Amino acid sequence: MEDQKQPGNISRVLVTGAAGFIGSHTCDRLLETGKTVMGIDDLSTGKLANLAGASGQDTFSFQQADVCDEPAIVDIFVDFQPDAVIHLAALVSVPIAENNPAENFRINVSGTQSVAQAAHLSGAERIVFASSAAVYGNSDALPLCEEEPVNPVNQYGMAKLEAENLLLGYEESHGLVTTCLRFFNVYGPRQDPSSPYSGVISIFAEHCRTGQAVTVYGDGHQSRDFIFVKDIARAVVASATNSTLSGGIYNLCSGKAKTLLQLLDALKEIYLDIPGPVFKEGRKGDIRHSLGDPAAAHAKLGFSTSTSFAEGIGELLASIQGQ
Ligand code: NAD
Ligand code: UD1
C-alpha cells in the first residue's frame, strides 16, 4: 500500500526534463538519496540512454509526455502524487529560442503553466524551477546578485522570467513553495555535443577530441560562469527535498568567469595539436559577460560548489574518451 502523504516528508519527487543533461543527473542524485522518482520527458533533446543508471532501480519510473499537454500532465501528476516537483523541461538554446519565439513561449512559459497547475492539483508541497542567468541580461553589476534588476535581452531570458513570476504566483495563490534557481552555464558528462546549439564546453571538448576546429561566435572575449552538473544536481535536490528550506530566488554559479579563449587555452593544454578556431559573427541575443554571486545560495541553501573547473573538465573528457 502507498504511504499516506505527511506534510514535510518529501519522499516522492517528479522531475520534468528527466532524460536531459541536468535532468538525468538530478534523477541519479534523488535515487542516491533514497527518493522515489518519476521522470517525464518528451525526448525532443533528451535520451533514454541518459537514464540507464536510474532505469535499473525499482524506485524509478518514466513516462514520455509533453509538458505542454496539460490534461495528460495533470493525470500523470495526480497518479504519482509527488511531494515535490523539479521542473527542468525546456527549450534550452538561446539562438533557437530567438529564432522561434512562439515555440519558446509554448514550451518555456505555457509548459511551465501546465506543470504549475499539475503540481497544485496533485497536492505537491514544493516546486523547484530551472531558471537562468539569462534573466539578468547584459548587466555591468558583476558579480550578479539576486537583487540586481532583471533585464533579459533575448526571448529565452524573457520566457524564464515569465515562468519565475508565474510560479511565484502559484506560491502566493496556493502555497506551493517555489524555489527558482538561476543556473549559470552548466557543463559536464551527458551534455549532448552533437548539436551546434548545445553548451559551448561540450561542443569545444568534442571538437578538440576529434581534431576539428571550433567555431567562436564573436571575438572570444565574452565570458561565462561555468558550473559542474553534479554540483547543480546536488543543489536542485537539496532545494526540492529539504522541507526546512523556504523558497525564493537563488543563483547557482561558481562565482568565477572564463572567456571562451581561456576555455580554449585550457583545452589546448590537454589536446596539444588542435587547429586554431574559426571566428564568425556573434550570435543574436548573446550576452557579453555573465558572472554570478554565489553568496545567497551559500547562506540560505547551504550550497557551495565542490568541483573545481579542472576536476569538472577532467570528468567530462573522461566520459567522452573512446566514444
Ligand atoms: P536538455 O535539453 O538536456 O534538457 C531539457 C529536457 O527537456 C530534454 O530532455 C528535453 O527532451 C525535455 N523537453 C523539452 N521540451 C519538452 C516538453 N515540451 N515536454 C517534455 N520534455 C521536454 O537541457 P539541460 O541543459 O539539461 O537544461 C535543463 C534545464 O536547465 C532547462 O530548463 C534549461 O533552460 C535550464 N538551464 C540550463 C542551463 C545550462 O547551462 N545547461 C543553464 C541555465 C538553465
Ligand atoms: C547557456 C545555456 C542556457 C542558459 C544560459 C545561462 C545551453 C545550450 N544554453 O546559454 O540554457 O540559460 O547558459 O547562462 O546550455 N559559442 C561559441 N561557439 C559554439 C557555441 C557557443 O562561440 O560553438 C558561444 C556563444 O555564442 C556564447 C557562449 O559561447 O557567447 C556560450 O554559449 P552557450 O554555451 O550556448 O551558452 P549561453 O548562450 O550562455
Side-chain angles (χ1 to χ4, degrees):
M1 216 167 82
E2 295 287 340
D3 290 340
Q4 289 292 314
K5 271 197 176 196
Q6 287 173 358
N9 176 20
I10 309 287
S11 64
R12 300 174 68 78
V13 184
L14 193 150
V15 180
T16 74
F21 163 51
I22 300 170
S24 61
H25 286 281
T26 299
C27 290
D28 290 346
R29 174 78 188 169
L30 284 164
L31 292 164
E32 273 165 31
T33 57
K35 305 300 173 192
T36 298
V37 181
M38 165 163 280
I40 290 183
D41 202 296
D42 70 352
L43 302 179
S44 51
T45 61
K47 294 192 187 76
L48 286 178
N50 288 340
L51 292 169
S55 297
Q57 304 194 36
D58 294 345
T59 45
F60 181 76
S61 54
F62 177 81
Q63 290 242 6
Q64 185 170 350
D66 178 352
V67 290
C68 304
D69 181 352
E70 189 171 317
I73 290 298
V74 169
D75 281 352
I76 292 169
F77 276 55
V78 168
D79 240 33
F80 181 67
Q81 293 282 298
D83 302 308
V85 173
I86 297 174
H87 178 38
L88 305 172
L91 192 170
V92 173
S93 159
V94 171
I96 294 180
E98 205 57 15
N99 292 324
N100 301 274
E103 188 64 353
N104 171 56
F105 185 86
R106 188 181 77 85
I107 300 175
N108 291 347
V109 182
S110 302
T112 301
Q113 161 61 39
S114 299
V115 169
Q117 181 68 0
H120 162 54
L121 292 179
S122 62
E125 283 177 42
R126 307 173 70 82
I127 187 162
V128 173
F129 171 58
S131 186
S132 165
V135 301
Y136 295 113
N138 267 317
S139 172
D140 290 331
L142 303 178
L144 294 155
C145 62
E146 293 79 354
E147 286 73 34
E148 207 45 50
V150 285
N151 186 22
V153 294
N154 51 45
Q155 297 291 326
Y156 170 86
M158 289 185 209
K160 286 289 180 185
L161 186 57
E162 277 292 313
E164 280 188 1
N165 287 329
L166 190 154
L167 286 165
L168 292 166
Y170 267 77
E171 175 155 28
E172 281 297 315
S173 305
H174 302 295
L176 178 64
V177 178
T178 297
T179 308
C180 297
L181 298 175
R182 293 176 175 165
F183 303 171
F184 281 63
N185 287 58
V186 189
Y187 73 99
R190 302 184 198 154
Q191 190 171 35
D192 182 5
S194 64
S195 158
Y197 300 108
S198 186
V200 67
I201 289 190
S202 65
I203 295 173
F204 280 15
E206 181 63 9
H207 277 60
C208 291
R209 185 182 76 84
T210 53
Q212 302 167 69
V214 304
T215 301
V216 171
Y217 298 107
D219 61 9
H221 289 287
Q222 67 264 51
S223 60
R224 293 293 185 271
D225 180 329
F226 293 108
I227 176 166
F228 190 60
V229 66
K230 288 184 185 170
D231 284 334
I232 286 277
R234 194 162 43 81
V236 167
V237 168
S239 303
T241 60
N242 183 345
S243 57
T244 65
L245 296 175
S246 51
I249 294 178
Y250 299 102
N251 292 336
L252 289 187
C253 55
S254 70
K256 295 176 190 135
K258 281 206 172 349
T259 67
L260 294 194
L261 296 181
Q262 287 170 333
L263 171 59
L264 275 175
D265 285 344
L267 288 168
K268 270 188 211 155
E269 285 178 19
I270 300 158
Y271 297 104
L272 302 175
D273 293 327
I274 53 180
V278 175
F279 287 88
K280 289 196 179 160
E281 193 184 337
R283 282 172 167 176
K284 198 165 152 259
D286 213 22
I287 286 170
R288 183 73 179 155
H289 296 297
S290 182
L291 171 65
D293 183 340
H298 183 58
K300 297 279 177 51
L301 304 177
F303 169 72
S304 48
T305 57
S306 64
T307 315
S308 70
F309 188 71
E311 288 166 342
I313 287 287
E315 197 169 329
L316 167 65
L317 297 181
S319 75
I320 62 174
Q321 283 314 324
Q323 278 184 6

